[in-house]
């Protein structure tokens, strides 16, 4: 006759759950402390020109948003000026702006801020300043932004 003894008793299971929850709680407290003292190494703005893609990778009338240091940048291919690049951070309350090909404007979804794609200036809405202009250049068929581009 065989008896079936459970490998994990009820008490053992509860102890295991308690330990997992305790470890999760400790990690939740220690994680932010570690992140504060040893933050990820993200430059505010890259010191070197940043490659965006091949010269033809952004068709006319289209845009691309990429990480530019700590914040995103938006690169547009305008029919009037060709490639232009701006900080994608709205100057109102720092929402991320987006290109709207239908309206032909850079739009901030948070409070209906609208920016001119040709120079980043404010068309309407609450943003107090234009978008930050980022240098743009093409070297050997590759688009670069920032640095001395
Ligand atoms: Fe962009 Fe308010 S954050 S309009």
């Amino acid at each position: 006759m065989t008896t079936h003894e459970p490998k994990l008793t009820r008490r053992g299971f509860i102890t295991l759950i308690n330990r997992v929850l305790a470890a999760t709680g400790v990690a939740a407290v220690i994680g932010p402390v570690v992140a504060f003292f040893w933050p990820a190494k993200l430059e505010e703005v890259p010191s070197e020109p940043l490659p965006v893609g091949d010269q033809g990778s952004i068709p006319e009338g289209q845009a691309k948003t990429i990480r530019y240091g700590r914040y995103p940048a938006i690169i547009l291919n305008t029919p009037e000026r060709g490639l232009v690049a701006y900080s994608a951070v709205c100057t109102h309350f720092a929402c991320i702006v987006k290109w709207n090909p239908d309206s032909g404007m850079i739009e901030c979804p948070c409070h209906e801020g609208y920016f001119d794609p040709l120079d980043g200036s404010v068309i309407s809405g609450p943003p107090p300043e234009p978008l930050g202009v980022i240098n743009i250049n093409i070297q050997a068929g590759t688009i670069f932004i920032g640095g001395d581009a």
Side-chain angles (χ1 to χ4, degrees), residues 90 92-95 108 110-113 126-127:
C90 181
H92 184 221
F93 280 135
C95 287
C108 179
C110 291
H111 310 105
E112 298 184 12

Side-chain angles (χ1 to χ4, degrees), residues 45-52 66 68 73 75 85 133-137 139 143-149:
V45 171
S47 54
E48 298 293 322
L50 188 70
V52 173
I66 65 166
Y68 182 63
I75 300 96
V133 176
I134 300 172
N135 293 333
I136 192 162
N137 201 347
Q139 296 170 11
I143 304 167
F144 288 88
I145 62 169
D148 295 328

Side-chain angles (χ1 to χ4, degrees), residues 52-112:
V52 173
D54 292 337
Q55 186 171 1
S57 63
I58 305 174
E60 189 175 282
Q62 298 296 310
K64 182 175 186 179
T65 300
I66 65 166
R67 173 175 277 203
Y68 182 63
R70 189 175 283 270
Y71 305 103
I74 186 167
I75 300 96
L76 297 156
N77 189 351
T78 66
E80 299 86 355
R81 286 194 53 207
L83 292 166
V84 292
Y86 307 104
S87 165
V89 179
C90 181
T91 55
H92 184 221
F93 280 135
C95 287
I96 304 305
V97 299
K98 294 188 176 3
W99 166 241
N100 184 339
D102 296 329
S103 69
M105 292 185 282
I106 301 169
E107 300 178 355
C108 179
C110 291
H111 310 105
E112 298 184 12

Side-chain angles (χ1 to χ4, degrees), residues 2 7 14 70 82 88 93 96 114 117 123 125 130-131 133 138 145:
T2 61
K7 291 184 179 175
I14 290 173
R70 189 175 283 270
F93 280 135
I96 304 305
Y114 296 92
I123 295 173
L131 295 172
V133 176
I138 297 171
I145 62 169

